[in-house]
Amino acid sequence: MDSKTLDGSQIIDSWFPKIKANIFLSHSHNDKEETIVFAGWLKKTFNLTTFIDSCIWGYGNDLIQMIDNKYSWLDKENRIYSYNKVLSSSSHVHMMVATALSSMIDKTECLIFYDTPNSIKSFDKGKRTESPWIYSEIAFSETVRKTTPERIKIINESQKFYNFDGDDTPEKVLKVSYELNYKHLKEIDHTVLNEWKKNKSVSQKEKALDRLYEITFPKIKRL
């Protein structure tokens, strides 16, 4: 490879490394603090490790800025970037992030979607999201291979869905909304979480997830 060519694979490994986690938590970055609290509850209660991208990975826009500062100048003295070069760098980084996110969704056993007004908005024609990242994560979760853990047999295979109310914080920026199909996800409310927590005998990570599956999917059968 040319010495002047950036190694995209190495950048992904450095900025967006894979980690060992039990749960992928899809969420709006406006709900970051709440999702961290929820992840802490999962860790303390069931010793389950939750993947939250903003807590593990570098910020994609910072990477774009670093690349642009080296490769995208049109007039460096007046700090003017080349529009086409900025588009190119942004496309590369966004594709890196999307690829890394898809890989982590596939790698984790369970996906939980944190549903708040920050992540989903109601329109006349249904639910939509203005986050391209949430859209891509949920869309990928519908097509990702459903791998049944060896320890159990799930009759009704599906991903997980968590519902929590939050505050809406609209921004005065370019807005694009995407129709969000999450019918393949299973809804989990506080009743389910409380029932899940009742089983004090749950100590191992796998058994904790098994118990969650038993509550949300009554047809589950163990091997």
Side-chain angles (χ1 to χ4, degrees), residues 190-215:
H190 289 87
T191 302
V192 174
L193 291 179
N194 289 331
E195 180 64 25
W196 187 18
K197 187 179 179 181
K198 282 182 182 178
N199 194 333
K200 300 298 183 180
S201 63
V202 173
S203 57
Q204 298 179 9
K205 297 178 182 180
E206 291 80 7
K207 289 184 178 180
L209 287 173
D210 289 354
R211 178 57 182 151
L212 175 62
Y213 302 153
E214 288 172 358
I215 296 171

Side-chain angles (χ1 to χ4, degrees), residues 3-222:
S3 60
K4 295 182 180 180
T5 302
L6 297 178
D7 189 328
S9 298
Q10 286 189 2
I11 293 176
I12 292 175
D13 291 340
S14 175
W15 276 75
F16 316 112
K18 297 183 182 67
I19 68 166
K20 188 174 182 179
N22 306 105
I23 296 171
F24 182 100
L25 187 52
S26 178
H27 66 289
S28 166
H29 281 253
N30 290 329
D31 297 319
K32 179 180 176 180
E33 291 184 3
E34 292 180 5
T35 56
I36 291 175
V37 171
F38 181 51
W41 180 84
L42 290 170
K43 184 67 175 179
K44 181 179 180 180
T45 307
F46 304 112
N47 196 30
L48 291 169
T49 301
T50 303
F51 173 79
I52 299 177
D53 57 355
S54 57
C55 295
I56 306 296
W57 290 351
Y59 187 43
N61 285 352
D62 289 341
L63 177 57
I64 294 173
Q65 186 70 63
M66 290 173 62
I67 294 174
D68 286 340
N69 284 342
K70 187 169 184 179
Y71 297 98
S72 302
W73 291 114
L74 181 64
D75 183 346
K76 189 173 183 178
E77 183 176 350
N78 293 309
R79 300 192 63 78
I80 300 174
Y81 293 104
S82 164
Y83 179 73
N84 289 331
K85 289 182 179 180
V86 169
L87 282 181
S88 178
S89 61
S90 299
S91 296
H92 278 289
V93 173
H94 289 158
M95 186 57 65
M96 291 176 187
V97 176
T99 300
L101 287 171
S102 299
S103 180
M104 279 303 306
I105 291 174
D106 182 63
K107 184 179 178 64
T108 51
E109 177 178 320
C110 176
L111 178 143
I112 295 179
F113 172 44
Y114 201 68
D115 175 9
T116 77
N118 287 325
S119 56
I120 291 184
K121 300 184 184 301
S122 296
F123 290 84
D124 292 339
K125 295 184 178 180
K127 303 289 187 178
R128 303 179 72 89
T129 182
E130 294 177 349
S131 168
W133 299 113
I134 288 177
Y135 172 73
S136 64
E137 289 166 6
I138 302 306
F140 182 71
S141 74
E142 186 176 13
T143 59
V144 68
R145 56 181 179 173
K146 308 297 190 298
T147 304
T148 304
E150 293 182 2
R151 67 185 183 278
I152 59 175
K153 181 178 181 181
I154 303 179
I155 303 300
N156 180 21
E157 291 186 347
S158 179
Q159 298 286 12
K160 311 297 170 281
F161 178 84
Y162 178 66
N163 190 313
F164 190 90
D165 289 330
D167 294 325
D168 189 13
T169 53
E171 299 178 359
K172 294 181 179 180
V173 295
L174 170 67
K175 292 186 177 181
V176 179
S177 69
Y178 303 84
E179 183 177 359
L180 196 63
N181 176 23
Y182 51 86
K183 293 180 180 179
H184 61 290
L185 304 181
K186 182 69 176 181
E187 184 171 0
I188 300 175
D189 57 18
H190 289 87
T191 302
V192 174
L193 291 179
N194 289 331
E195 180 64 25
W196 187 18
K197 187 179 179 181
K198 282 182 182 178
N199 194 333
K200 300 298 183 180
S201 63
V202 173
S203 57
Q204 298 179 9
K205 297 178 182 180
E206 291 80 7
K207 289 184 178 180
L209 287 173
D210 289 354
R211 178 57 182 151
L212 175 62
Y213 302 153
E214 288 172 358
I215 296 171
T216 53
F217 304 106
K219 293 184 179 181
I220 284 180
K221 293 182 180 179
R222 294 181 182 276

